[in-house]
Amino acid sequence: MDIALIILGIVCLLIGIAGCFLPVLPGPPISYFGILLLHFTDKVQYSSTQLSVWLLIVIATLILDYFIPMLGSKYSGGSKWGNRGCLIGTIIGLFFLPWGIIAGPFLGAVIGELWGQRDLSHAIKSGLGSLVGFLLGTALKFVVCLYFAYTFAASLLNL
């Protein structure tokens, strides 16, 4: 039974890492599930504190994944129109996977800024900020999943 759980855990970790780049798959939760599978074996036992902290990290990552593009738009000079457009674009982009998840925040911020009476260059700057925010969110998810993969391997190999 332990071998099956370990293999399933490895598969979850690999799918989780892929999920950082494929918007259909939630990468960090799947990777966390891989860690949980290892926890249920006789080989490794994590403390409830570790599991709780990791769960909080996963939840924070999921929440930040939606708000980092808005922050990127805001800190690149975007107005509330750009932030709202970015949020709406992110939601609409979910229906047009895979490219909608990338283009949605960018186009939403640009359209929001234009709707808020900003000029095109300012709107594009805000849109690029949301795109940079999206890329930072993806990098954050990737780091979390790599950390879980490292923890899994280190625990299994007793490093």
Side-chain angles (χ1 to χ4, degrees):
M1 183 69 168
D2 284 351
I3 293 173
L5 288 174
I6 291 169
I7 291 171
L8 283 173
I10 292 169
V11 169
C12 285
L13 288 168
L14 293 174
I15 291 172
I17 290 171
C20 295
F21 305 102
L22 301 172
V24 178
L25 300 171
I30 294 173
S31 291
Y32 179 74
F33 186 69
I35 291 284
L36 283 178
L37 289 174
L38 183 62
H39 174 71
F40 292 125
T41 67
D42 292 332
K43 305 287 182 197
V44 176
Q45 294 297 310
Y46 297 112
S47 70
S48 58
T49 303
Q50 285 176 305
L51 293 173
S52 298
V53 168
W54 292 337
L55 180 61
L56 289 175
I57 289 171
V58 168
I59 292 169
T61 303
L62 290 175
I63 292 170
L64 286 173
D65 192 38
Y66 289 100
F67 289 103
I68 289 177
M70 287 188 336
L71 292 173
S73 173
K74 179 181 177 182
Y75 288 115
S76 65
S79 67
K80 65 180 178 182
W81 287 98
N83 287 335
R84 290 177 185 156
C86 181
L87 179 62
I88 292 168
T90 300
I91 293 168
I92 292 172
L94 293 174
F95 295 103
F96 300 99
L97 297 174
W99 299 109
I101 198 73
I102 297 169
F106 173 78
L107 292 174
V110 170
I111 292 169
E113 291 293 344
L114 291 174
W115 204 345
Q117 308 302 321
R118 297 287 180 118
D119 61 355
L120 182 62
S121 65
H122 185 82
I124 290 175
K125 183 178 175 187
S126 175
L128 288 175
S130 70
L131 182 61
V132 168
F134 169 77
L135 294 174
L136 287 174
T138 301
L140 175 67
K141 291 188 297 186
F142 185 63
V143 166
V144 168
C145 289
L146 283 181
Y147 172 74
F148 285 152
Y150 169 77
T151 301
F152 187 96
S155 298
L156 195 58
L157 299 173
N158 294 323
L159 295 178

